[in-house]
Amino acid sequence: MAAGTSSRNPDVPIPFDACDPSGTFVFVSYAHEDKALAYPELRRIRSLGIQVWYDEGIEPGSEWPQAIADALYGAAAFVVMITSAAVASRNVRNEINAALNWGKPFFAVHLTQTQLPLGLELQMGDVQAVMRWQMDEGSYARKLGRALASYAEAGNKAPPAGPPAPAVPRASTPAPSQPAPAPVPPSHLARTLTGHTDTIAEVAFSPDGRLLATASGDETARLWDPATGKQLRTLAGHGNAVYGVAFSPDGRLLATASADGTARLWATGKYLRTGKQLRTGKQLRTLAGHDGGVRAVAFSPDGRLLATAGDDDNTARLWDPATGKQLRTLAGHDGPVVGVAFSPDGCLLATASGDNTARLWDPATGKQLRTGKQLRTLAGHDGPVYGVAFSPDGRLLATASYDTTARLWDPATGKHLRTLAGHDGPVSGVAFSPDGRLLATASYDTTARLWD
């Protein structure tokens, strides 16, 4: 192979050698079918004084997936060149997923007019982007320069605490066929959050893990920085205790449930698809229909359903959050339904009840209005079950109970795995962090606790 050519496309000269990944650089992702379109953009980015790493810079003999992951993990920012070939590429999608999961500053350059698949659109709905295909050269160059200027000076983003990030699978290196190791349930207290003036009834992490929301009997929901424990914002407006909080999958909405008989939707301040930014804490919609207070809320993974738990009518209900229309009723508990949670794949809905059990249901999605089918009952708590949450991989279900404990279960078998004890009052809510490393619990003792 001639020097200075692409290892996979020897007829196309590479624009330059990738930078040393030990310095400050941006990681550029693109489909190799698009090299003729992408290489000029790599040169343009470099001309802005920004060091660029792309996968032609892998040293001969390197383990390809690990080299990709190491470079992306150490990058100051992530830039992806969007085309139809790119969105069809498993490699590009893997790199997008990793960049979002690791919280990298993210910039998308749409080289051609491209319809994003629904799942990718959901992931990238609020990332900064430029439509290269519809802009004149001068406007594009100015926008790109403004967007990337800060990256040239920012320095590498410090990696999060913990072990090195896993490698990003590549098509050329199939993932090992061995089953993944069993998850290690959290068991150690990491941090305590204080500030509410009444009992804390529920906790929820935002999809990117940068926010933690709490719901309280003091009639407010609050937003926190889970890394520092700092309180960021208070959401006020309900006319009674706030029992439940849940972020939509894209992070743009926060739903709250209240003893005032309603569930409410609030803007989080993230950009909508129109580019219009809503003020954090602005109330958007009220859902009414339960025969009594609403104790909990949960979005389905695709964001198309919102589940609510009825405090007095012993039911869970499913709604369309876009219209506020009630779709289905799930009945069967012998006590108030006070917690709801969808599994990561959306195929299960877990409910928590004052009858001391948690139950698993088929959400029975579809246009026909019908009662969901109950699949399994989890029994063992010595008091009402107040909250339920699935781990991100769906292999654990956490429950919170009046008996002052949280418990971990295998939802596939119903087996009890571990009990977490330490709160001085009933445990009223549980939530896993997006990476599954932390479990947050909320308690009537006015504290929230983080377990690892």
Side-chain angles (χ1 to χ4, degrees), residues 45 95 113 145 214 224 254 288 292 299 318 380 391 399 420-421 428 439:
I45 294 172
E95 290 160 1
Q113 186 175 10
T214 54
W224 310 78
L254 181 73
F299 285 94
L318 294 173
S391 61
T399 56
L420 305 180
S428 50
L439 178 73

Side-chain angles (χ1 to χ4, degrees), residues 31 34 37 81-88 109-114 116:
D34 296 329
L37 293 173
M81 302 294 170
I82 297 295
T83 65
S84 296
V87 300
V109 178
H110 291 247
L111 297 179
T112 61
Q113 186 175 10
T114 305
L116 296 180

Side-chain angles (χ1 to χ4, degrees), residues 91-107:
N91 298 336
V92 173
R93 295 197 305 271
N94 285 338
E95 290 160 1
I96 289 172
N97 290 337
L100 291 170
N101 289 339
W102 296 338
K104 294 296 176 182
F106 193 116
F107 187 75

Side-chain angles (χ1 to χ4, degrees), residues 51-129:
Q51 294 299 308
V52 174
W53 194 96
Y54 63 113
D55 63 8
E56 292 296 343
I58 297 175
E59 290 293 327
S62 296
E63 185 68 22
W64 200 294
Q66 191 62 51
I68 295 285
D70 288 346
L72 180 49
Y73 195 64
F78 177 82
V79 178
V80 60
M81 302 294 170
I82 297 295
T83 65
S84 296
V87 300
S89 167
R90 187 180 71 173
N91 298 336
V92 173
R93 295 197 305 271
N94 285 338
E95 290 160 1
I96 289 172
N97 290 337
L100 291 170
N101 289 339
W102 296 338
K104 294 296 176 182
F106 193 116
F107 187 75
V109 178
H110 291 247
L111 297 179
T112 61
Q113 186 175 10
T114 305
Q115 179 63 50
L116 296 180
L118 185 59
L120 197 59
E121 182 178 1
L122 182 66
Q123 289 180 287
M124 295 176 56
D126 60 352
V127 303
Q128 190 175 10

